[in-house]
Amino acid sequence: MTTNAEQLERDILRVFRCARKQDRPDIAEFMLAALEKLDCERPISTASTRPLIDAYRDLVGTCGSGKS
């Protein structure tokens, strides 16, 4: 069962990804800050199920792409 907070985190992650695809780093940064705030308030859980970690993985995955 998904809690309201978990659904909110997933929705924010979706908007974060959408903002990045639309080349809106200002909005993506705002969404990342929201995920960080929510993550601080959640009970300890497995890192692989945290939307914040997914957002960080997205950022790391694009750091080296297309630039030599």
Side-chain angles (χ1 to χ4, degrees):
M1 187 168 152
T2 303
T3 67
N4 288 338
E6 290 169 337
Q7 184 61 51
L8 178 59
E9 285 179 304
R10 279 200 292 245
D11 290 343
I12 292 170
L13 177 61
R14 182 182 51 78
V15 174
F16 167 80
R17 288 174 170 162
C18 183
R20 292 188 69 233
K21 284 181 188 174
Q22 294 183 15
D23 197 28
R24 290 297 310 262
D26 53 336
I27 302 301
E29 182 179 0
F30 184 75
M31 294 296 104
L32 187 61
L35 284 172
E36 289 170 337
K37 175 66 175 157
L38 288 168
D39 192 75
C40 288
E41 297 173 357
R42 76 183 346 236
I44 307 256
S45 66
T46 308
S48 62
T49 62
R50 292 165 55 197
L52 176 62
I53 300 303
D54 290 339
Y56 287 156
R57 285 182 183 135
D58 288 356
L59 290 172
V60 170
T62 60
C63 284
S65 64
K67 305 211 178 190
S68 306

